[in-house]
Amino acid sequence: MNNDLSGKSGIITAGLGGSDVRPTQIPSWCLLAGLFFMICGARLWLIHNFGVSMPYFDEWIVEGKLFKAYLEHKFGISLLFQNLNEHHIVFSRVFLLGLFCANKQWDPVLFMVAQAPFNALGIALLVSRMGKLMSLHGRAVLAAFAAAVGIIPFGWQNALMGCEIHFYLFPLFGILVTWLCWRYEALSPRWWLGALLAVANLFTMASGVFFTAATVCFLILGLVREPARRQWRAIAGLGILSAIVACGLAMPIVTVEKRDMPQPNHSEFLNALTHLLSWPCTFHWAWCIVQAPLILLALLLLIQGAPLSDDRWFPVLIGAAFWIQAVATAARRFNVWDNSRYRDSWTLLSITLAACLYFLGKSTGRRRVLFLAFVMLWGFVFAGGVLNSAFNLLPREIMDEHAHRLTMEYNVRGYLRTGDGAYLNGEIPIQRRDALVALLNSATIRNILAPGVFYPDPPLQPVRVDNSGGGFARDGYPAGLPDLGLPVYGSYDKDKLLTKRGIALWFAVPKGTRQVEMQLAGSPSSRSFELKVKEGHTYREIVPPVLNPGLQWETISINLNPRTTLFGIDATQWPGFAWTAFSAPSISTRPALTRWAQDATGCYTGVLALGLALMLAGAAASMGASTAGGLRSEPAHPGSSVPP
C-alpha cells in the first residue's frame, strides 16, 4: 500500500526498459544547492561587515548563564528546559553548548556563522517541497524568487546574534511536520516522524506549535468533508496531533512567570496584525493585496471541493501557519511588531505566496488575462515594498544597530578593564542590567571571553623601527581614543597638522604562527598602510582589512603562513589629516573554530559566486529538460498521482 496520499508528482517516465528515470532531479538539485549557497553567502557578508565578537543583548542572558553553569559544574538537564519568556529553546541551548565545548571560548561570531546555514536550509526546504508539486519552469522561477528575497537581510537581528537559531529551526521543523502529517497516511512511519518533529518543535520556541495547529485544523476539515476518511487510523492520528497542540498551547501558561506585559486593545491589535500581513509594504491596507494569492487559492479549493490530497493545499497550510503566528505576534508583541527578528518568517510566507500564485495560474483557464493583471498588481506592490526596505529602511536599521553594538562593546570593555560602573550607566541595549553585572564580575565568564577583551597575550617587540617618513613612535594616544594598555604606534597629530608622518616596523614571529592580532583606529587606507611578511627568504604583501574609521579601536586578525619569520607594518605614506594609530601585534590564541569562522566570513564572495553559478546551471538544465520530447514533468491535473 502506498502511504503517500497524493502520489509522487514530478516523476518523469522515459520508458527505458520499463524503469523510471528522473532527469528533473539534476536541475532541481542544482537550483536548491544554488539557492542554499546564495543565502549562506549573503549571511556571511552581513556577519563579515557587522558581526561583533562581544556578546550582546540576549546573548549575555541565554549563553552566559548556560556556559557559567557548565564550567562551574552546576549544569543540569533542567537548565536546558528553562523557559525564556514563553519559549523553551532546548535545541538552541544544545547547539550553543556543543559549539562552546568544541571551541572552549565564547565567540558570538562563531555561533552566527554556524547558524547561518539553517536559515538557508529552511528556505531551500520550503522551495523543495513546493517544487515537487510544480513543473520544471515553476521550480526555477520559485527558486529565483526565493533567492532574490532570501539574500536581502530582512532578519538581520537573527543573523547578527548567535543565540537566535530557534528562529530558523521552528519553521524548518514546521514545514516537515506539515508535509509528513498531511501527505502520508496517519500512523505510518513517515507520519510518526512528523509527529515526533511536532513534539520537538515545542522545544524550539513557542511558535513551533502553529504548524501543527494549522495541520490539525485542516485534517478536521478533511474528515468533515470526506466521510471515507473517517477511519480509526485517521481519527487516532488527529487525536495525537491535537494532544501535541494542547500541550504546546499550555506550556507557556504553566511555565512562564507572571510579567506586566501590555495588553493591546482592538485598535492596536488590528493595526499590528494588518502591518504584519502587509509585509514588506509599510502601508497597513496593503495586506489585502499581499495576502490575496493565499486567500484566493483557499477559496478556489473550497469552491471546487478539492480533496484532502490535492497538491494545492500545501501552500495554503504553510500560509495558515504563518497567519497564526502573525495573530500571536500582534497579540503578544503588538508594540514591537516591526522587529527584525520576525521577518525571517514573513520571508518564508512571501515564498509561499509566490507558490500560491503558481497554483492559481494553473487553474485560471479562460480567466488568463485577469490572472496576469492580478500578478502584475501583486508584483508591483510586493516589489515596491522590497525595494523600499532594501534601500531605505534596512541600511539605516543595520547601521544604527551596529553603532549600538559598538557602544556596548566599548562600555563592557571599559568596565572589564577598570571596574568603573560608570561605563554601564549609559544607554546600553540590554535588559536585566543586574544580571549583566553579575556575569561581568564572574571570573568564569572573563576567562572565556575573546582575547581582544583583555589582551592577555604579550605584544610582540619590534626588532626594527624606521621613521623614514618623518614620523615617530610612542606609547601615546590621540585625544578621545580609549587606553589600550599596550604599546601604540602610528601616524597621528592631535592638532591635525597637514604634515607627512609615518613609521615602519618589523616584528619577529616564531615559526609555526598562523595568526596575529592588532588594534587599529583612525582612517588607514590600502594605499598608505601596508602589511608585509617574510616567509623563508621571500617577502610578500598582505592586503589590509577594511575598517570603519573613527575614534574606536577595532581588532583585526591577519592569517600567516607557518613559515613566516617577520611581520612588518609600513605606514610611512600617510598624510597628516588621515591619522591612524595601531597597537603592537600579538600572537593570536584564538581556537581553531574561531579562526575557521573568521575565514568563512571572508569567503562570502566565493560562496555567492558558487550559488549563482549553480542557480544558472539549474535554470539552464530545467529549460533543456522541459523541451525534451516525450517527458512529463508534472501531474496531468492537480491532485493526480503517478504509481511508484
Side-chain angles (χ1 to χ4, degrees), residues 484-496:
L484 272 180
L486 289 174
V488 173
Y489 307 93
S491 169
Y492 47 85
D493 191 325
K494 64 181 179 180
D495 297 325
K496 303 294 189 297

Side-chain angles (χ1 to χ4, degrees), residues 56-60 62-63 84 89 92 95-96 108 111-112 115 158 160-167:
Y56 177 76
F57 202 64
D58 285 345
E59 290 177 309
W60 286 110
V62 175
E63 301 169 27
L84 179 69
I89 54 171
S92 297
F95 169 81
L96 294 170
F111 301 155
M112 297 176 202
Q115 74 181 9
N158 295 332
L160 295 177
M161 290 186 68
C163 64
E164 301 286 54
I165 190 175
H166 39 274
F167 280 94

Side-chain angles (χ1 to χ4, degrees), residues 420-440:
D420 185 359
Y423 279 99
L424 302 180
N425 292 336
E427 183 182 355
I428 297 179
I430 192 169
Q431 299 171 334
R432 306 165 189 164
R433 192 181 305 272
D434 293 340
L436 170 63
V437 172
L439 288 172
L440 294 179

Side-chain angles (χ1 to χ4, degrees), residues 405-566:
R405 289 171 184 263
L406 292 178
T407 299
M408 181 172 183
E409 182 181 32
Y410 167 76
N411 290 338
V412 171
R413 288 179 189 271
Y415 178 79
L416 289 172
R417 291 177 188 151
T418 65
D420 185 359
Y423 279 99
L424 302 180
N425 292 336
E427 183 182 355
I428 297 179
I430 192 169
Q431 299 171 334
R432 306 165 189 164
R433 192 181 305 272
D434 293 340
L436 170 63
V437 172
L439 288 172
L440 294 179
N441 290 335
S442 169
T444 303
I445 295 298
R446 292 182 177 225
N447 290 334
I448 62 175
L449 291 174
V453 175
F454 290 109
Y455 309 109
D457 304 314
L460 299 174
Q461 298 298 321
V463 295
R464 177 184 171 187
V465 179
D466 183 8
N467 294 334
S468 58
F472 52 88
R474 67 171 188 173
D475 296 342
Y477 300 83
L481 196 61
D483 185 14
L484 272 180
L486 289 174
V488 173
Y489 307 93
S491 169
Y492 47 85
D493 191 325
K494 64 181 179 180
D495 297 325
K496 303 294 189 297
L497 299 178
L498 301 181
T499 57
K500 269 193 175 183
R501 302 197 172 198
I503 187 171
L505 306 97
W506 283 97
F507 300 88
V509 177
K511 283 188 177 182
T513 301
R514 295 184 177 273
Q515 193 177 66
V516 295
E517 290 183 345
M518 55 189 297
Q519 309 297 310
L520 269 76
S523 54
S525 67
S526 58
R527 293 176 300 172
S528 57
F529 181 59
E530 297 180 347
L531 302 177
K532 302 178 180 179
V533 294
K534 181 182 179 184
E535 299 169 354
H537 298 287
T538 62
Y539 291 84
R540 69 179 180 93
E541 294 185 1
I542 301 176
V543 178
V546 178
L547 298 176
N548 296 319
L551 289 174
Q552 185 81 31
W553 288 110
E554 291 201 26
T555 303
I556 67 169
S557 301
I558 302 99
N559 294 325
L560 302 179
N561 189 308
R563 297 181 301 167
T564 301
T565 55
L566 285 176

Side-chain angles (χ1 to χ4, degrees), residues 240-254:
I240 293 172
L241 294 179
S242 300
I244 295 173
V245 173
C247 292
L249 296 177
M251 283 171 61
I253 301 175
V254 174

Side-chain angles (χ1 to χ4, degrees), residues 57-279:
F57 202 64
D58 285 345
E59 290 177 309
W60 286 110
I61 306 302
V62 175
E63 301 169 27
K65 292 174 64 175
L66 181 66
F67 300 158
K68 185 173 183 291
Y70 173 77
L71 293 173
E72 294 178 353
H73 305 289
K74 298 178 182 178
F75 175 78
I77 298 299
S78 60
L79 185 59
L80 293 177
F81 289 86
Q82 187 177 12
N83 62 285
L84 179 69
N85 299 329
E86 65 266 36
H87 308 293
H88 293 79
I89 54 171
V90 177
F91 289 98
S92 297
R93 290 191 171 105
V94 171
F95 169 81
L96 294 170
L97 187 59
L99 279 179
F100 172 74
C101 292
N103 196 48
K104 306 300 183 184
Q105 191 178 93
W106 190 357
D107 181 22
V109 173
L110 170 62
F111 301 155
M112 297 176 202
V113 173
Q115 74 181 9
F118 290 91
N119 180 27
L121 187 61
I123 295 177
L125 175 66
L126 182 61
V127 172
S128 171
R129 296 302 91 189
M130 298 289 187
K132 284 179 69 70
L133 315 174
M134 295 181 176
S135 66
L136 289 172
H137 284 165
R139 298 175 202 175
V141 172
L142 184 64
F145 177 85
V149 176
I151 62 175
I152 303 174
F154 293 112
W156 52 267
Q157 282 185 323
N158 295 332
L160 295 177
M161 290 186 68
C163 64
E164 301 286 54
I165 190 175
H166 39 274
F167 280 94
Y168 301 147
L169 287 180
F170 90 85
L172 180 62
F173 288 177
I175 293 168
L176 290 173
V177 169
T178 303
W179 178 267
L180 294 172
C181 293
W182 158 69
R183 197 155 175 91
Y184 295 95
E185 185 181 9
L187 307 186
S188 65
R190 294 186 183 183
W191 184 94
W192 277 112
L193 176 60
L196 181 62
L197 288 173
V199 175
N201 217 7
L202 303 181
F203 300 98
T204 55
M205 59 185 298
S207 302
V209 72
F210 298 148
F211 288 88
T212 312
T215 305
V216 166
C217 293
F218 176 71
L219 293 177
I220 292 175
L221 176 65
L223 290 181
V224 171
R225 296 186 59 182
E226 301 179 33
R229 293 189 177 275
R230 297 171 188 171
Q231 302 172 359
W232 74 269
R233 295 174 68 94
I235 296 174
L238 181 60
I240 293 172
L241 294 179
S242 300
I244 295 173
V245 173
C247 292
L249 296 177
M251 283 171 61
I253 301 175
V254 174
T255 58
V256 175
E257 300 175 358
K258 271 197 169 183
R259 296 185 300 156
D260 296 328
M261 293 187 64
Q263 298 297 320
N265 55 39
H266 294 295
S267 176
E268 292 170 333
F269 171 77
L270 290 177
N271 178 68
L273 180 60
T274 53
H275 272 98
L276 287 172
L277 295 179
S278 299
W279 186 90

